[in-house]
Amino acid sequence: MSTEQGDFAPDAGTEATNLLKRNSDDVGWEYGVLVDASNKDKVKCKLCDKEMRGGIHRLKEHLAHEGKNVKKCIARTPLAMEAKEKCKKALADAKRKREEKTVRELEIREEVHVSRVGTDSDEVTCVGSSQPHKLGLIDKWTRAIDPKATKSDSLKQQQLNKELWKERTNEVHKYIARWAYTHAIAFNACDNDEFKQMCEAIGQFGPGLVPPTQDALRGKLLEEEYERTKSLLQEREAEKMKNGCSIMTDAWSDRKRRSIMNLCTNCADGTSFISSKEMSHVSHTSEVIFDLVDKAIEEIGVDNVVQVVTDNTSNNMGAKRLLEEKRPHIFWTSCAAHTINLMLQGIGNMTRFKKVVDQAKAFTIFVYGHTRTLECLRYFTEGKEVVRPGVTRFASNFLTLSSIQEKKDQLRKMVVHSRWDSLKDVKSKKGKEATTILSPSFWKDMKLTLTVFEPLVKVLRLVDGDVRPSMGFLYGELLKAKRQIKEAFGNVEARFKDVIAIIDKKMNGRLDSSLHLTAYLLNPHYSYSGPSIFDQPKISEGFIVCVEKFYYHDEHMQHQAANIELKKFQNREGPFSKKLARTFENFDYNPTSWWRLYGYETPALQKMATRILSLTKSSSGCERNWSGFEGVSTYLL
């Protein structure tokens, strides 16, 4: 199966195209390619064949007929018109983001205030800066720009100042970089607002700053930061009182093998830490979990907690029953991220999909298990990695398959090339099995597997993020995912029924409770676009159960919400009929804000909607903070 690089002729044209195509989401690459794979600056328009320098940005200017640095594209086809509009939008978006970044960085700097004592030194404004820079000793050798000087002299002085600031900035950057390299500081830490503020504060202080000691960092400064953080959370506390919140729990073990239980609270403004308790000395029984949750409810306020979110373990379900007995108005729901991951796991264990996943895993483990095979992979993928599957999250298998699919042409070329075939490890049994990615059936099954997994992974991303509350969108997006999966099987029931059965089994009692159904009904993005939702018995029954629980022992409010106000919402009466209310048609709209704005004539339903639609549907916020909590636990325990 070996072949020399120059002998790989059958798909030479395709390979050359793929080599010159950049693996990027930038819209410009839909209409352009690199002229030379080794020169990322020179590109060619696929619509008019014009070559130009300046990279993908210049190509987008060419296609959008914008800017004075490049000629306009002469193509006039429908595709060229489409490219023009897309590239115009991309350029405008990029410009807007740059402007927003500039404004944001200026705001960050202006938030820093360091008191100054006896600062009467000279100032000079650096070219391109909005703030004056203090002069150092070396600056005394330069002179200020003379307004009476000739244009030539002024330009020379301007250039001198610009080069001077560039040189001084580079000197400072080298010290920052040395500290980051020496102590293994993550490079993305420099993108943090706090890092930028630290640099600004040091700059405002000037020479001679004595850095804080370890004792100050773990003592006085930590206490001051804790108080500052508490003050910042006051707005979040107000949001909890106004629209309610969720309590999330999660258990984990730290590097010292201590069992720790975390409790967090989530509202529309984000996730906050409540407490972290070592549980090594007790069993995680339903009673223990219930006591921890109940104390957290007391601390936050009984009327401010709408739901508790946990995973689906039996001890949590036992705690749920105890809470329902003591506090019947508070909902207890299953973590959607955990449940969807179980769906993916169940589907992935089906014979057809398991074979593809196992083949992809075997290939990835083999390649990354040997230095020479890994070097060969990186050679053919130009340094791009294959995402390796995780141990606990089955969704990571989707990322692995998707990563392999993206590199299909490079990988197929690799395993028939002499560079790969000459490796000793490739001739082993595992090495030969790894070449199964050559099989057309593998790629065919891979495509189907990705098509089936992708709708559920999209829902997982929705509920697993902190971008916005997901309760109002979960049930509707799961129904959409089921429809897309059926379409992937050609809507042939015999082909999709086993997959749908797994989804329905995991949804039952977990993601189709009265709370989920009510959130689905009260989100006009779904109920107004599909009015039949109001007539579905399952939805109606779930809504009634939810109203009775939400307004527990308040028959007047139950009557108002269920018998009077729901009809007004359904018929789009009053404010619901306004033209501006059509923002619900956009998936990115905020349903909680929508109800605040247009639900004032239906107060009972409005209160329900704003509280329910601002809920999270996942306890992932608790999980994401494990590393941070370990530091807190180490300090406190």
Side-chain angles (χ1 to χ4, degrees):
M1 294 177 66
S2 174
T3 179
E4 294 298 331
Q5 190 166 1
D7 295 336
F8 196 74
D11 297 314
T14 304
E15 288 160 19
T17 302
N18 289 327
L19 188 63
L20 297 174
K21 242 180 116 179
R22 296 301 306 281
N23 185 18
S24 169
D25 293 332
D26 195 307
V27 67
W29 293 113
E30 293 181 23
Y31 311 104
V33 293
L34 292 171
V35 176
D36 181 356
S38 62
N39 183 358
K40 312 297 185 190
D41 190 56
K42 195 171 183 181
V43 294
K44 182 170 109 173
C45 175
K46 293 197 292 187
L47 302 181
C48 69
D49 292 331
K50 177 172 177 56
E51 296 181 5
M52 65 205 78
R53 294 188 179 277
I56 195 62
H57 178 76
R58 191 73 72 238
L59 175 67
K60 286 187 287 188
E61 288 184 330
H62 163 75
L63 291 164
H65 295 193
E66 291 189 359
K68 299 178 181 179
N69 299 313
V70 67
K71 289 184 178 180
K72 300 174 182 178
C73 181
I74 60 173
R76 293 293 181 269
T77 62
L79 183 61
M81 295 299 105
E82 177 189 289
K84 181 179 179 180
E85 293 305 314
K86 282 187 177 181
C87 290
K88 264 190 176 181
K89 184 177 183 300
L91 290 169
D93 289 345
K95 182 180 179 182
R96 176 180 51 79
K97 287 178 182 177
R98 286 195 303 271
E99 291 172 348
E100 289 174 353
K101 183 180 179 183
T102 301
V103 171
R104 175 60 183 153
E105 289 187 351
L106 184 59
E107 289 173 349
I108 290 169
R109 287 179 179 275
E110 289 176 344
E111 287 174 8
V112 178
H113 301 285
V114 177
S115 57
R116 303 185 182 195
V117 180
T119 55
D120 55 355
S121 57
D122 298 328
E123 291 186 350
V124 68
T125 301
C126 172
V127 176
S129 172
S130 62
Q131 296 292 327
H133 290 252
K134 288 297 176 185
L135 286 169
L137 290 174
I138 193 172
D139 297 303
K140 301 298 184 181
W141 296 97
T142 66
R143 59 187 175 84
I145 297 175
D146 184 356
K148 296 180 181 179
T150 65
K151 184 176 181 181
S152 176
D153 288 341
S154 295
L155 288 174
K156 284 181 182 178
Q157 187 61 39
Q158 223 171 8
Q159 187 63 30
L160 179 59
N161 269 355
K162 187 174 181 180
E163 292 302 319
L164 176 63
W165 289 120
K166 188 184 295 184
E167 181 182 337
R168 295 181 68 210
T169 301
N170 187 58
E171 289 294 324
V172 176
H173 284 179
K174 286 195 288 188
Y175 283 100
I176 296 173
R178 189 176 305 155
W179 177 73
Y181 302 150
T182 303
H183 298 283
I185 305 299
F187 294 155
N188 62 0
C190 68
D191 293 329
N192 294 341
D193 291 349
E194 292 76 14
F195 175 77
K196 295 172 184 176
Q197 289 182 328
M198 179 188 73
C199 292
E200 177 67 17
I202 294 171
Q204 287 186 19
F205 185 91
L209 173 67
V210 178
T213 63
Q214 291 186 39
D215 288 338
L217 286 171
R218 69 164 63 99
K220 179 175 178 289
L221 292 173
L222 178 60
E223 290 168 3
E224 290 175 355
E225 187 63 18
Y226 172 69
E227 292 301 324
R228 188 188 76 89
T229 304
K230 278 180 64 177
S231 68
L232 291 175
L233 290 175
Q234 287 179 354
E235 289 184 11
R236 196 165 288 185
E237 295 302 317
E239 172 64 23
K240 292 176 189 175
M241 294 177 66
K242 183 178 180 181
N243 291 313
C245 66
S246 306
I247 289 178
M248 306 180 293
T249 72
D250 207 37
W252 61 291
S253 296
D254 67 4
R255 284 174 287 188
K256 295 182 180 180
R257 305 305 300 163
R258 294 176 298 185
S259 178
I260 296 173
M261 176 71 78
N262 291 331
L263 281 94
C264 298
T265 178
N266 177 277
C267 65
D269 289 341
T271 301
S272 308
F273 173 71
I274 300 176
S275 65
S276 186
K277 184 177 178 63
E278 185 178 2
M279 306 282 287
S280 304
H281 60 290
V282 296
S283 298
H284 294 188
T285 62
S286 299
E287 291 75 17
V288 169
I289 295 171
F290 165 72
D291 287 340
L292 285 172
V293 171
D294 196 51
K295 287 177 182 176
I297 292 173
E298 290 284 356
E299 181 182 333
I300 295 170
V302 176
D303 294 333
N304 299 331
V305 178
V306 180
Q307 70 163 349
V308 178
V309 187
T310 65
D311 61 28
N312 305 313
T313 55
S314 58
N315 51 355
N316 282 328
M317 294 302 101
K320 173 184 177 180
R321 289 188 288 273
L322 293 173
L323 184 75
E324 286 175 342
E325 292 176 8
K326 183 174 181 179
R327 307 192 189 279
H329 69 288
I330 295 178
F331 299 86
W332 188 300
T333 62
S334 299
C335 171
H338 182 245
T339 304
I340 295 171
N341 199 57
L342 292 176
M343 291 178 188
L344 291 167
Q345 184 177 6
I347 295 169
N349 286 334
M350 294 174 65
T351 305
R352 181 172 190 177
F353 303 118
K354 189 175 187 304
K355 180 182 176 182
V356 177
V357 172
D358 288 346
Q359 285 177 323
K361 278 185 177 180
F363 171 75
T364 307
I365 292 169
F366 170 75
V367 171
Y368 278 85
H370 303 86
T371 56
R372 295 190 66 193
T373 54
L374 182 55
E375 185 279 330
C376 188
L377 171 79
R378 288 170 176 164
Y379 172 80
F380 281 92
T381 61
E382 296 183 334
K384 294 181 175 66
E385 304 288 344
V386 172
V387 178
R388 285 174 281 176
V391 178
T392 58
R393 289 287 179 130
F394 199 85
S396 66
N397 289 327
F398 170 82
L399 300 179
T400 299
L401 296 177
S402 182
S403 181
I404 290 175
Q405 177 70 27
E406 287 175 0
K407 302 169 183 65
K408 175 181 176 180
D409 293 333
Q410 295 98 315
L411 295 178
R412 293 183 69 189
K413 178 180 178 180
M414 180 185 76
V415 295
V416 297
H417 198 277
S418 60
R419 189 183 183 113
W420 171 269
D421 207 36
S422 63
L423 300 178
K424 180 181 177 182
D425 296 316
V426 171
K427 295 177 173 60
S428 66
K429 181 180 178 182
K430 289 184 178 179
K432 291 176 180 177
E433 290 174 353
T435 59
T436 55
I437 61 170
L438 272 175
S439 166
S441 62
F442 170 78
W443 295 106
K444 182 180 178 182
D445 291 342
M446 161 96 79
K447 185 178 180 181
L448 176 64
T449 304
L450 287 171
T451 305
V452 171
F453 279 21
E454 186 173 13
L456 289 175
V457 172
K458 284 183 179 178
V459 182
L460 179 60
R461 286 175 176 151
L462 172 71
V463 301
D464 207 27
D466 272 335
V467 179
R468 63 172 177 173
S470 55
M471 177 63 83
F473 294 91
L474 173 61
Y475 191 78
E477 292 308 295
L478 278 173
L479 294 182
K480 179 181 175 181
K482 287 169 66 175
R483 290 195 299 270
Q484 290 173 338
I485 290 171
K486 290 177 181 178
E487 289 170 3
F489 288 103
N491 287 314
V492 178
E493 185 176 0
R495 297 176 62 196
F496 67 67
K497 67 177 182 180
D498 292 338
V499 173
I500 298 300
I502 290 172
I503 297 173
D504 288 341
K505 182 179 179 181
K506 300 300 180 185
M507 277 184 68
N508 186 32
R510 296 187 180 111
L511 303 183
D512 62 352
S513 70
S514 62
L515 189 64
H516 298 94
L517 298 175
T518 300
Y520 175 58
L521 178 69
L522 295 181
N523 187 345
H525 180 75
Y526 300 108
S527 53
Y528 278 3
S529 60
S532 61
I533 290 173
F534 290 97
D535 301 322
Q536 294 178 20
K538 180 179 180 179
I539 305 295
S540 300
E541 183 181 347
F543 174 72
I544 293 170
V545 171
C546 184
V547 169
E548 291 174 342
K549 189 175 182 69
F550 188 89
Y551 289 118
Y552 190 72
H553 279 336
D554 191 337
E555 293 184 1
H556 172 70
M557 293 297 279
Q558 291 175 5
H559 172 71
Q560 285 293 118
N563 298 330
I564 299 175
E565 296 180 3
L566 180 64
K567 203 68 178 176
K568 291 183 179 180
F569 170 60
Q570 180 180 354
N571 295 335
R572 303 193 195 189
E573 297 178 12
F576 298 128
S577 65
K578 292 184 179 294
K579 187 176 180 180
L580 288 173
R582 292 179 185 174
T583 53
F584 67 82
E585 295 172 356
N586 186 350
F587 183 76
D588 293 327
Y589 94 115
N590 186 326
T592 306
S593 299
W594 188 91
W595 270 96
R596 286 176 187 158
L597 193 59
Y598 301 109
Y600 54 85
E601 289 188 2
T602 53
L605 205 59
Q606 183 187 49
K607 182 179 180 181
M608 277 189 70
T610 52
R611 288 203 155 208
I612 291 173
L613 295 173
S614 63
L615 295 175
T616 184
K617 205 42 222 82
S618 169
S619 60
S620 299
C622 231
E623 295 180 20
R624 271 192 292 276
N625 289 302
W626 279 0
S627 57
F629 290 161
E630 179 159 8
V632 174
S633 298
T634 301
Y635 177 73
L636 295 176
L637 296 176

